[in-house]
Amino acid sequence: MSPKILAALALAVAVAGCMPDSPRTALDWGVNTKKPQHVASKARAKTYVYEEKDIRPTPRPSPNYVTRNVTPYSPVTSQALAPVSGNAPAFAWPVSGRVIADFGATADGGHNDGINIAAAEGTPIRAAASGSVTYAGDELKNYGNLVLIKHAGGFTTAYAHADRLVVSRGDFVAKGQVIGYAGQTGDVSQPQLHFEIRSGTAPVNPRSYLTSTTALN
């Protein structure tokens, strides 16, 4: 072997002995494998504040009055009147006020089955006699809030156009007990009470059965 080749081999061996046994790359130098990896923090949760424009209130359902086993109430247009009965209760005026529409024929050719008494809105309406409430509701739109009370002797009283009612079907009420408050519901143009007395199903003139000619309570 020539001296030049021998010299080249000796230099190669010397250089190899100076190199590390397990060289690292630039990518893993200084990497601490024991250190936890960085985890990006989660985005902070947003709190949504509702504004008025975002609120959509649920419409209040219309009242649904359900009345079972009650004879339908309807105005009687016949002029035939029931005679005054000796077994009728002593009826008291349900409100104090001026009669603005009397019993009987009306100017437009109709018939008023009771009397209409002017009363300030919120005036207490009182039961004209003791009895049981057979209806309390507003299904007859022309009458607004209406109460029917059944009394001894086959009599029934009706109280219409109330602003609100404080009794329910099946309640027993005493004479003079508050059953509602006067208002302007139904087809009337001012606060008032439409009051009827019926003997059986026939309307009678309330003035013939009330214990006085004017309202006392």
Side-chain angles (χ1 to χ4, degrees), residues 8-92:
L9 289 173
L11 180 61
V13 170
V15 173
C18 296
M19 295 181 65
D21 293 334
S22 55
R24 291 181 167 182
T25 66
L27 294 178
D28 66 358
W29 281 8
V31 173
N32 183 358
T33 57
K34 302 295 184 181
K35 184 178 180 180
Q37 293 185 357
H38 175 71
V39 178
S41 62
K42 296 182 179 179
R44 187 173 182 179
K46 294 182 179 179
T47 302
Y48 187 78
V49 179
Y50 287 93
E51 298 180 1
E52 291 185 3
K53 64 181 180 180
D54 299 308
I55 299 174
R56 298 292 184 270
T58 302
R60 184 178 180 182
S62 300
N64 181 21
Y65 295 97
V66 178
T67 305
R68 299 180 176 84
N69 301 323
V70 175
T71 302
Y73 180 82
S74 60
V76 176
T77 57
S78 172
Q79 295 286 343
L81 307 180
V84 176
S85 172
N87 63 342
F91 292 106

Side-chain angles (χ1 to χ4, degrees), residues 125-143:
I125 301 169
R126 303 179 184 276
S130 300
S132 298
V133 177
T134 58
Y135 179 84
D138 67 348
E139 292 173 299
L140 296 175
K141 299 305 180 184
N142 291 343
Y143 289 82

